[in-house]
């Protein structure tokens, strides 16, 4: 082809590489007689965790490395400062508890299961069961990640894979607010939002008048206009002039002056409450709203929302939310977002916040000197206390309600319930800000109204899934045969030679009912196979499998769980376990495998049971 360019590639050139394997710098440091762990979260928040002052010094270094491994932010580890703070609290409470024992285990070699059981009982005195399970699980995961794990006693290591389930009957879920209370909360939040907007509008109007026609302002107005102009230009909040310190605290005067152009900490509670009610997002998402956005033809806002409860690898999602009419800015997610973005726009010039929030707090510490007291209030700590409950108590309409306590999660549940009811109870349609699993598990599960209203639907659905599993179990047994159970006292197996599988023995792996020739089916299929033989020797692995299937029940879609695991679950619980005495089952439970038995199913043999 004429007029073109042609050429040939040359041999590739290897990039320069450092000698040896790359070893990233350790986040664990030892200095001044203490151990520290540096943390940098995936959400940009950082922290420094110092072991100095904690008891059990011989544990510090190994626990520090375990803490660093658990907060690495990779898949399955804690990725936020809030998560690291929670784990740090569990770590400190565990070390202090061990130190309080009459004979504490001074090294990890001395740790025994009774120590962990006593810790569980100790925490049960001040926590509900769900919290206790989470606390013990956090400690076990720390122990599992210690460099010296191999020095732990085998009976302690065996606890790492034991299923720790929450008895739902022991949990006291808190539902949403009723419609009357919801309307009262919304009324108070809207009233404060209007008051805040009018306050800032009045300050901006005075600033504009000072700039365009200062000669028309009176003496006090001219002075205040000059202060506002200086604040707008520099971000600095001036000290009061001509006011005796003994009459009005200077800090209060500066706070009020800052509030004429900027949001302050006192404004956050009603605005965040209003955000949950207008958008249906949870408080975490409201606090993480970005400043960057785009508006589509005046009717919708596109922005990147953070959905933490979907898991650290699926936090960020671009969402498009409706703006609505001007009168709907407090009832639509897009209208609310643009309202907040407008209120905080001037403050972000000085706080340099990437998120939409910016408030004036004063002070000089933690970098505030460079921003003249303007900050993103949630930059350092997402869980910063902004006085949500105090604001609720300060509202006469809410304070008059018997036992009322304002809680953002409960408010989120209220909005989800309201929206779910509006969509006829169809969870996929109601999941406007979360997946349906997150929506139900984190918000709607504990709401009494939803429970009463949806009990028949949910119950029928689960009953259908279980009935289908029973039908498939019977069909599989009829087609392929069932596992033969040989309990003590039943005599010896007369089938001759047999080979061991994962959870049973196989009397003839060359005669598979699932495929021609040698068996290529998943080990789970053994529970519906004429060649399978279950003896007392197989009970420990089967009990470990039940633990993992029970844990999977808490995280999987119920229909999918029954499809994949229903048949082996029914085979073990209905066909195998009843053939063994409680004593025999307890003996097997004491020697359950410490490894994850479902790992045996990975690879080309794995296929779901349908």
């Amino acid at each position: 082809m004429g007029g073109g360019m042609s050429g040939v590639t040359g041999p590739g050139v290897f990039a320069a590489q450092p000698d040896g394997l790359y070893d990233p710098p350790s986040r664990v440091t030892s200095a001044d007689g203490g151990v520290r762990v540096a943390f940098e979260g995936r959400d940009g928040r950082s922290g420094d965790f110092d072991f100095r002052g904690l008891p059990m010094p011989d544990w510090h270094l190994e626990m520090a490395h375990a803490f660093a491994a658990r907060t690495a932010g990779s898949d399955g580890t804690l990725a936020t400062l809030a998560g690291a703070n929670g784990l740090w609290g569990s770590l400190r409470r565990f070390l202090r508890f061990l130190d309080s024992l009459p004979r504490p285990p001074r090294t990890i070699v001395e740790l025994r299961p009774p120590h962990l059981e006593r810790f569980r009982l100790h925490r049960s005195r001040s926590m509900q069961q769900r919290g206790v399970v989470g606390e013990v699980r956090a400690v076990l995961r720390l122990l599992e990640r210690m460099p010296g794990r191999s020095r732990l006693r085998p009976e302690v290591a065996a606890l790492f894979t034991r299923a720790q389930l929450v008895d739902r009957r022991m949990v006291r879920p808190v539902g949403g607010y009723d419609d009357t209370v919801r309307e009262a909360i919304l009324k108070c939040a809207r009233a404060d939002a209007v008051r805040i907007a009018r306050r800032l509008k009045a300050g901006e109007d005075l600033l504009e008048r000072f700039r365009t026609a200062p000669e028309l302002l009176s003496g006090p107005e001219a002075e205040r206009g000059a202060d506002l102009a200086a604040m707008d230009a520099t971000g600095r909040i001036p000290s009061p002039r001509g006011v005796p310190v003994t009459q009005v605290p200077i800090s209060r005067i500066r706070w009020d002056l800052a509030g004429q152009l900027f949001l302050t900490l006192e404004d956050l509670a009603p605005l965040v409450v209003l955000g949950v009610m207008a958008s249906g997002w949870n408080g975490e998402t409201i606090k993480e709203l970005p400043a960057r956005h785009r508006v589509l033809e005046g009717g919708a806002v596109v922005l990147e929302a953070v959905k933490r409860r979907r898991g650290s690898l699926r936090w960020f999602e671009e969402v498009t939310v409706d703006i609505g009419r001007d009168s709907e800015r407090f009832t639509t997610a897009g209208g609310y977002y643009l309202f907040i973005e407008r209120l905080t726009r001037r403050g972000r010039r000085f706080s340099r916040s990437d998120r939409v929030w910016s408030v004036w707090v004063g002070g000089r510490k933690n970098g505030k000197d460079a921003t003249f007291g303007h900050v993103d209030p949630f930059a350092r700590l997402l869980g910063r206390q902004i006085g949500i409950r105090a604001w609720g108590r300060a509202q006469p309409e809410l304070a008059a309600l018997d036992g009322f306590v304002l809680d953002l999660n409960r408010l989120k549940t209220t909005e989800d319930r309201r929206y779910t009811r509006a969509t006829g109870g169809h969870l996929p349609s109601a999941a406007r800000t979360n997946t349906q699993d997150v929506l139900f598990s984190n918000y709607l599960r504990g709401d009494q109204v939803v429970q009463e209203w949806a009990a028949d639907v949910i119950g029928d659905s689960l009953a259908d899934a279980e009935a289908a599993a029973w039908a498939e179990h019977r069909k599989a047994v009829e087609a392929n045969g069932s596992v033969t159970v040989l309990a003590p006292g039943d005599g010896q197996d007369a089938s001759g030679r047999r080979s061991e599988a994962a959870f049973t023995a196989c009397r003839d792996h060359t005669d598979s009912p699932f495929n021609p020739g040698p068996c290529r089916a998943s080990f789970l299929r053994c529970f519906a196979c004429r060649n399978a033989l279950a003896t007392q020797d197989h009970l420990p692995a089967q009990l470990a499998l039940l633990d993992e299937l029970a844990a999977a029940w808490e995280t999987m879609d119920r229909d999918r769980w029954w499809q994949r695991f229903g048949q082996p679950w029914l085979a073990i619980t209905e066909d195998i376990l009843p053939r063994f005495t409680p004593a025999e089952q307890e003996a097997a439970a004491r020697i359950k495998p410490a490894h994850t038995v479902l790992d045996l199913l990975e690879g080309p043999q794995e296929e779901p049971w349908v």
Side-chain angles (χ1 to χ4, degrees), residues 272-294:
V272 170
V273 167
L274 181 63
V276 173
M277 304 187 78
S279 68
W281 291 321
N282 59 39
E284 297 160 344
T285 298
I286 296 294
K287 295 173 183 178
E288 297 268 39
L289 287 174
R292 186 175 180 179
H293 67 281
R294 64 182 189 274

Side-chain angles (χ1 to χ4, degrees), residues 317-383:
E317 177 187 18
E318 186 175 82
V319 298
T320 303
V321 289
D322 182 41
I323 295 175
R325 299 183 298 272
D326 289 343
S327 61
E328 294 177 325
R329 61 181 175 179
F330 290 163
T331 61
T332 65
Y336 166 81
Y337 172 81
L338 292 180
F339 173 67
I340 296 299
E341 194 278 331
R342 175 65 181 85
L343 295 183
T344 58
R345 191 179 300 164
R346 178 178 276 107
R348 288 199 307 276
R349 288 164 40 203
F350 306 106
S351 65
R352 310 182 192 111
S353 171
D354 292 329
R355 299 179 183 86
V356 75
W357 295 101
S358 179
V359 298
W360 185 82
V361 296
R364 296 176 176 273
K365 295 181 179 179
N366 298 322
K368 288 182 289 187
D369 191 34
T371 63
F372 312 112
H374 299 270
V375 300
D376 171 358
F378 308 113
R380 292 178 57 82
L381 187 64
L382 185 65

Side-chain angles (χ1 to χ4, degrees), residues 439-587:
L439 174 64
F440 187 77
S441 299
N442 286 286
Y443 299 108
L444 295 183
R445 179 194 295 275
D447 188 84
Q448 186 62 32
V449 175
V450 171
Q451 289 177 349
E452 294 173 356
W453 162 64
D456 291 339
V457 175
I458 296 172
D460 290 346
S461 175
L462 293 180
D464 290 345
E466 185 172 358
W470 270 108
E472 290 295 334
H473 177 46
R474 288 190 290 268
K475 186 188 302 183
V477 168
E478 291 171 2
N480 308 318
S482 62
V483 61
T484 299
V485 182
L486 190 64
D490 289 345
Q492 296 298 315
D493 174 32
S495 61
R497 295 182 59 188
R498 61 179 188 248
S499 57
E500 291 298 323
F503 308 109
T504 64
C506 181
R507 289 184 287 199
D508 188 357
H509 73 279
T510 65
D511 181 28
S512 172
F514 307 111
N515 57 263
C519 184
R520 298 190 301 273
S522 162
F523 286 127
L524 288 181
R525 289 283 188 101
C526 295
F527 293 105
C529 179
R530 60 177 178 263
N531 294 319
L533 176 67
T535 70
Q536 188 173 10
D537 293 338
H538 301 113
L539 267 186
Q542 292 168 359
L543 292 176
L545 176 61
L546 286 184
D547 285 346
E548 289 198 65
L549 297 186
W553 174 266
E554 297 295 321
T555 60
M556 287 181 65
D557 174 79
R558 298 300 189 253
D559 288 341
R560 178 63 176 161
W561 188 93
W562 278 114
Q563 286 182 355
R564 188 176 186 187
F565 301 130
Q567 196 279 327
W569 175 274
L570 292 173
I572 296 174
T573 58
E574 301 294 331
D575 299 337
I576 297 177
L577 290 184
R579 298 290 305 277
F580 295 90
T581 67
E584 290 165 347
Q585 294 183 36
E586 291 175 6

Side-chain angles (χ1 to χ4, degrees), residues 20-298:
L21 296 176
Y22 172 70
D23 188 14
S26 175
R27 293 166 45 217
V28 179
T29 58
S30 299
D32 302 326
V35 181
R36 308 167 74 99
V37 180
F39 174 80
E40 185 69 36
R42 290 187 68 242
D43 57 358
R45 297 177 177 89
S46 60
D48 186 64
F49 297 90
D50 193 344
F51 279 73
R52 284 178 297 185
L54 290 180
M56 310 291 289
D58 290 337
W59 285 68
H60 287 188
L61 186 58
E62 294 204 63
M63 286 296 265
H65 282 287
F67 182 82
R70 286 288 297 128
T71 58
S74 56
D75 189 17
T77 63
L78 302 174
T80 67
L81 181 59
N85 282 333
L87 182 62
W88 179 246
S90 298
L91 184 154
R92 290 186 303 170
R93 287 187 289 272
F94 180 62
L95 291 183
R96 287 169 178 163
F97 168 77
L98 293 181
D99 187 59
S100 70
L101 296 176
R103 298 180 61 186
R106 294 300 177 186
T107 65
I108 64 173
V109 179
E110 301 174 29
L111 184 70
R112 294 183 293 114
H115 294 130
L116 294 164
E117 176 63 16
R118 291 181 66 178
F119 177 67
R120 184 188 67 80
L121 295 174
H122 169 71
R123 298 302 294 150
S124 297
R125 299 190 186 106
S126 57
M127 301 176 71
Q128 291 192 12
Q129 189 199 24
R130 184 190 300 275
V132 173
V133 169
E135 183 102 316
V136 174
R137 184 179 293 145
V139 169
L140 286 174
R141 288 179 175 175
L142 279 172
L143 296 174
E144 189 177 16
R145 300 301 291 269
M146 290 195 306
R149 171 185 170 173
S150 60
R151 293 163 42 222
L152 289 169
R153 293 171 180 261
E155 58 269 28
V156 173
L159 299 176
F160 296 156
T161 55
R162 178 193 295 179
Q164 301 175 63
L165 304 179
V166 177
D167 186 347
R168 299 288 180 189
R169 297 169 298 179
M170 300 294 291
V171 178
R172 304 184 188 93
V174 178
Y177 299 104
D178 62 40
D179 292 342
T180 301
V181 175
R182 177 191 179 274
E183 289 304 314
I185 298 172
L186 182 58
K187 178 182 176 181
C188 293
R190 282 182 173 177
D192 269 11
V194 170
R195 175 187 55 78
I196 293 167
R198 287 176 176 172
R199 184 191 78 208
L200 295 181
K201 181 66 165 57
E204 291 180 347
D205 288 346
L206 177 57
L207 174 60
E208 183 63 21
R209 290 160 54 202
F210 175 81
R211 285 174 170 166
T212 57
E215 68 279 2
L216 299 180
L217 299 180
S218 63
E221 278 189 319
E223 289 184 356
R224 191 154 58 94
D227 286 340
L228 295 182
M231 289 162 50
D232 182 57
T234 67
R236 291 188 174 92
I237 311 302
S239 298
R241 292 176 291 205
V243 179
V245 177
T246 56
Q247 293 183 12
V248 181
I250 292 179
S251 59
R252 180 71 261 176
I253 296 176
R254 294 185 70 215
W255 203 278
D256 291 341
L257 184 58
Q260 294 182 41
L261 288 183
F262 308 104
L263 290 186
T264 65
L265 278 176
E266 294 173 338
D267 300 324
L268 288 178
L271 294 179
V272 170
V273 167
L274 181 63
V276 173
M277 304 187 78
S279 68
W281 291 321
N282 59 39
E284 297 160 344
T285 298
I286 296 294
K287 295 173 183 178
E288 297 268 39
L289 287 174
R292 186 175 180 179
H293 67 281
R294 64 182 189 274
V295 178
L296 300 180
E297 300 180 354

